[in-house]
Amino acid sequence: MSDGAAVRIGILGLGRIGTLHAELLARRVAGARVTRVFDVDGARAAAVGAALDVVVAGSATALLEADDVDAVAICTSTDTHAALIEAAARAGKAIFCEKPVSLDLAAVDAALDAVVDASLTFQIGFNRRFDPAHAAVRRAVADGVVGAPQLVRVTSRDPAPPPLSYAATSGGLFLDMTIHDFDMARFVTGSEVVRVSAFGAARVVPELAELGDVDTAVVVLEHADGCLTTIDNARQAAYGYDQRVEVHGALGMATSENPPAHTGSVRTANGTASSVLPHFFLERYAAAFAAQWDAFVAACRDGGPGSPGVADARAPLAIGLAALRSRAERRPVDLAEVDPPPLSRPLTTSPTQ
């Protein structure tokens, strides 16, 4: 692909996140062009195709085999990701995939082996790495400004819980929601996780307990370099979408705070009133979504492996599986217990990229 050519992207899956990606690529990402879309819901696909003036493919296979598709964005349900990655690899397409690749490590390995064997650009959708505030925390660590990380705190709280029907198929809080925070812990520290201690309860939606799931959790991660990360999660935060990261190091501290919905404030003798937080991830991470696509387009043009890449697609799932076992067995769990070494492939990207 020449440096000046637009990367032609096909979108598989046009739910909330797939439609968001399609609109971003069509209207905000330089160097990208949406050429085809597909969804099992034909009416939804037709609506997006008409809105963006792009071809609606008759099937996922037809989209993957199209000559005017250089790369594919896999935004379908989690249970389809691994098979679609393998199909895209056979078709020789660059791949962007929403997280997670699968809820099963063996399926993840098979899919990522196909990517590595085909030497394709691959990027997993951990968009929070591209948030300007979170990225500034990572730079402070990487540049040595705060010294060696000693303690990390990641807070992630949603404004409201998802429907029970969603919770029943999502893999649960640790594999659906906290997986972003597991990735963030690796990203900001630059160190892999070796042990997990997880605690959780159904404090907001008691019915989740019947599904073996939780809506409120604390997870402690022990890193290979000795750093400790504490993650706190809640499915309900009355004040809005709460996303913060803090790294305490030998020389200082770096933090990312919540951006306000706007910067206006009112000050009187009774105190100061300011705006609420952004309500949900679409508002909070708008810049990050665009930036991750800029990175993917650049990787496609360069023919690089992509980042966050195959290692970053795999590691957070292993951490999540360890968290599930830790909570169930009420003990710390070493990563080697759920993912015995050696791995089936060389990992071509690191948590610091």
Side-chain angles (χ1 to χ4, degrees):
M1 182 180 301
S2 66
D3 288 343
V7 178
R8 300 169 298 177
I9 301 175
I11 311 292
L12 291 174
L14 296 166
R16 178 172 61 182
I17 195 67
T19 299
L20 169 72
H21 289 323
E23 292 174 347
L24 279 173
L25 287 165
R27 296 168 176 158
R28 289 188 55 185
V29 179
R33 182 161 65 92
V34 177
T35 51
R36 293 178 184 259
V37 297
F38 171 75
D39 192 276
V40 293
D41 184 329
R44 184 161 59 190
V48 174
L52 301 182
D53 192 24
V54 298
V55 174
V56 177
S59 67
T61 300
L63 186 148
L64 290 172
E65 293 177 350
D67 291 336
D68 61 352
V69 172
D70 304 311
V72 60
I74 299 173
C75 309
T76 51
S77 59
T78 296
D79 60 337
T80 66
H81 289 179
L84 287 172
I85 287 172
E86 292 188 59
R90 290 193 297 270
K93 308 299 186 182
I95 302 164
F96 173 92
C97 185
E98 275 298 334
K99 60 79 189 170
V101 169
S102 172
L103 302 180
D104 178 75
L105 273 178
V108 171
D109 286 342
L112 297 182
D113 279 339
V115 171
V116 172
D117 290 345
S119 299
L120 294 167
T121 297
F122 174 87
Q123 186 171 313
I124 191 71
F126 285 126
N127 63 289
R128 297 180 190 181
R129 289 185 175 216
F130 297 92
D131 175 72
H134 299 337
V137 173
R138 171 57 200 159
R139 284 196 302 274
V141 174
D143 294 345
V145 175
V146 299
Q150 297 170 344
L151 290 172
V152 174
R153 184 183 66 191
V154 181
T155 293
S156 181
R157 302 171 188 166
D158 286 350
L164 274 175
S165 59
Y166 174 84
T169 60
S170 68
L173 183 139
F174 293 135
L175 300 185
D176 170 57
M177 179 178 178
T178 324
I179 195 167
H180 276 289
D181 307 314
F182 297 148
D183 178 69
M184 187 55 53
R186 297 175 62 249
F187 175 59
V188 298
T189 64
S191 179
E192 296 293 352
V193 173
V194 296
R195 182 175 297 161
V196 181
S197 299
F199 311 86
R203 298 281 292 166
V204 180
V205 184
E207 294 84 356
L208 284 171
E210 299 173 12
L211 301 175
D213 197 8
V214 299
D215 52 39
T216 307
V218 172
V219 183
V220 178
L221 307 177
E222 299 177 49
H223 293 262
D225 65 359
C227 181
L228 297 175
T229 292
T230 299
I231 298 169
D232 75 85
N233 290 137
R235 286 288 197 186
Q236 184 179 68
Y239 52 89
Y241 190 49
D242 190 357
Q243 300 281 300
R244 289 169 282 142
V245 176
E246 175 188 297
V247 176
H248 171 74
L251 301 178
M253 180 179 74
T255 64
S256 59
E257 300 292 344
N258 291 306
H262 61 76
T263 58
S265 64
V266 177
R267 294 180 176 85
T268 71
N270 295 321
T272 300
S274 57
S275 67
V276 298
L277 300 182
H279 181 67
F280 209 24
F281 72 93
L282 297 178
E283 295 85 11
R284 171 64 176 83
Y285 287 118
F289 281 119
Q292 77 172 353
W293 279 115
D294 289 336
F296 180 73
V297 168
C300 288
R301 285 178 163 175
D302 295 342
S307 181
V310 293
D312 308 307
R314 190 182 194 282
L317 176 64
I319 299 169
L321 295 173
L324 286 172
R325 180 177 294 186
S326 172
R327 177 179 174 267
E329 299 180 4
R330 298 179 178 272
R331 66 177 180 87
V333 171
D334 290 344
L335 261 291
E337 295 182 55
V338 298
D339 185 24
L343 300 178
S344 63
R345 82 182 57 71
L347 296 183
T348 57
T349 56
S350 75
T352 62
Q353 289 182 299

